[in-house]
Amino acid sequence: MASGAAAAARRVLLLRHRNRGHQNLLPAQHFSSAAAADGLDGGDGGGRVKIFDRDLKRRHRDRAAWAMRETDALADAVADNLLDRLEDCRKAFPSALCLGGSAGAVRRLIRGRGGIEKLTMMDMSAEMVKKWRELDNAAGDGLETHFIVGDEEFLPIKESSQDLVMSCLGLHWTNDLPGAMIQCRLALKPDGLFLASILGGDTLKELRIACTIAQMEREGGISPRMSPLAQVRDAGNLLSRAGFALPGVDVDRYTVKYNSALEIVEHLRAMGETNALFQRSPILKRDTALATAAIYQSMFGLEDGTIPATFQVIYMTGWREHSSQQKAKQRGSATVSFSDIRKQFGSDQD
């Protein structure tokens, strides 16, 4: 990571506002953007529309492998919060799979949580996997760790082989998020746990506003500069569509302070989080970029000269179905009516 982004990463403000609610898989494949520049799949998905260019995202991950710092305060905060959920579980998870995104932070912060004995780390970027392997060799903490190159859209993992599947800031780049989550469920053993964190729709809202205004002023219209992200209300539906039992959703909001809009872009590049839309505009005019930075500073600048950036993180929890799990009672099976409860405990209005 560039020095400016490194300084910004150290200034993460953990202002978390939580709203807590409660067969074999397809072989590894690679989607070619050259064969589908119009945003349609390469013949393996029945002509479904593709939103993200996975080849471009792989190159972003390759670049992030050498640009990333060994620690990133934002990624570490999200990974640590994700792993905290393992401490709420009474059972152990001997075998675990961690997918893409900030899996390096997850590996570094496990510290015995979840009773994990064997960890498999997977990423679509061979360079990122190489980087993780180097860091793991330097760690020397004794955790059995394996590394594979694979795409979250086509998990090369056997069915019912994992006790735990985790993804930290990675799945929001998949074209078929429900399909990827279904594959995660199939990879789990019965009563296995799925944990994931994805960026939510309020992420970088300040940058979106500034960029939109700058484009309207300088170009007379707008083009997609930032990727679409899931909304909080969609998370529960995603878990249900993927067939997970006992779904749960949490939302955290992190605020990071940067010296400039350029530092934000540098940090996003180091995280592998830059735009990968098929329908993106390939060129950002210099005057539009300068206008974006000026508008950002004018609208959102703080008294100390820094600018804040919001990262909304949605945490999802789900289990593969098992007979030992609690199940909802059938409709009509209640033995006590609400009127009886009201009579027993009284009413505030009586």
Side-chain angles (χ1 to χ4, degrees):
M1 182 185 293
S3 59
R10 288 193 294 269
R11 291 194 295 272
V12 174
L13 302 181
L14 301 184
L15 304 180
R16 304 199 322 222
H17 308 287
R18 176 173 298 177
N19 299 311
R20 172 161 291 186
H22 278 309
Q23 113 214 78
N24 292 327
L25 300 181
L26 294 173
Q29 302 180 39
H30 297 299
F31 171 66
S32 173
S33 61
D38 58 354
L40 298 180
D41 67 14
D44 60 344
R48 291 177 298 179
V49 173
K50 298 289 187 178
I51 300 173
F52 302 116
D53 185 339
R54 296 291 287 178
D55 280 349
L56 177 60
K57 181 48 58 181
R58 185 178 296 107
R59 294 196 295 272
H60 287 171
R61 299 289 295 168
D62 288 341
R63 179 178 61 190
W66 58 261
M68 66 184 289
R69 296 175 69 245
E70 291 189 7
T71 60
D72 182 304
L74 174 62
D76 286 1
V78 176
D80 198 47
N81 200 8
L82 188 72
L83 290 168
D84 276 347
R85 286 150 174 77
L86 295 177
E87 299 183 5
D88 297 332
C89 302
R90 296 181 180 179
K91 65 175 296 182
F93 305 93
S95 61
L97 170 67
C98 193
L99 305 175
S102 298
V106 173
R107 170 65 182 89
R108 188 174 60 256
L109 297 172
I110 285 180
R111 295 195 293 264
R113 284 182 283 192
I116 298 173
E117 301 172 0
K118 177 183 176 182
L119 176 67
T120 301
M121 299 177 65
M122 191 194 85
D123 197 90
M124 64 193 304
S125 164
E127 293 298 320
M128 184 64 73
V129 170
K130 179 181 177 182
K131 180 71 172 182
W132 288 343
R133 185 180 285 110
E134 293 172 354
L135 294 175
D136 184 73
N137 291 336
D141 59 2
L143 175 62
E144 181 183 351
T145 310
H146 302 269
F147 303 88
I148 58 176
V149 178
D151 195 324
E152 294 97 330
E153 294 190 346
F154 305 100
L155 283 185
I157 305 297
K158 293 182 179 179
E159 182 178 352
S160 303
S161 62
Q162 304 295 318
D163 297 296
L164 171 67
V165 173
M166 297 180 287
S167 176
C168 183
L169 300 179
L171 285 178
H172 51 266
W173 289 112
T174 57
N175 285 295
D176 181 10
L177 182 52
M181 292 171 63
I182 288 173
Q183 293 186 68
C184 291
R185 177 177 60 81
L186 293 176
L188 287 169
K189 299 175 182 178
D191 203 31
L193 175 62
F194 170 74
L195 287 177
S197 60
I198 62 174
L199 293 178
D202 284 348
T203 296
L204 298 178
K205 60 182 181 181
E206 302 91 350
L207 183 58
R208 294 173 189 269
I209 294 171
C211 189
T212 298
I213 295 174
Q215 283 187 297
M216 291 293 293
E217 289 183 351
R218 301 305 172 101
E219 302 176 19
I222 60 174
S223 60
R225 294 289 177 186
M226 304 182 71
S227 301
L229 296 169
Q231 299 297 321
V232 176
R233 61 179 178 273
D234 300 324
N237 292 333
L238 286 169
L239 289 165
S240 297
R241 287 179 60 187
F244 285 106
L246 307 175
V249 175
D250 295 288
V251 182
D252 276 5
R253 182 172 282 105
Y254 301 85
T255 301
V256 186
K257 294 169 65 176
Y258 298 90
N259 288 323
S260 67
L262 178 59
E263 272 196 355
I264 298 177
V265 176
E266 290 176 347
H267 191 191
L268 293 175
R269 286 176 176 171
M271 294 178 67
E273 291 291 337
T274 44
N275 189 3
L277 285 172
F278 267 113
Q279 302 300 325
R280 68 191 180 279
S281 177
I283 300 174
L284 177 61
K285 296 180 179 180
R286 177 180 175 82
D287 59 342
T288 302
L290 293 175
T292 298
I295 293 170
Y296 201 132
Q297 184 69 48
S298 175
M299 294 185 65
F300 303 105
L302 303 177
E303 293 182 358
D304 61 1
T306 62
I307 55 175
T310 298
F311 291 86
Q312 183 188 47
V313 180
I314 302 173
Y315 296 90
M316 296 185 290
T317 306
W319 298 80
R320 184 162 185 182
E321 191 173 24
H322 188 263
S323 59
S324 65
Q325 295 170 354
Q326 294 180 341
K327 293 180 175 59
K329 296 291 185 180
Q330 293 184 353
R331 175 172 286 187
S333 62
T335 58
V336 179
S337 68
F338 282 109
S339 60
D340 292 337
I341 295 176
R342 183 176 179 179
K343 291 178 181 178
Q344 181 175 356
F345 292 98
S347 172
D348 292 340
Q349 299 178 356
D350 290 344

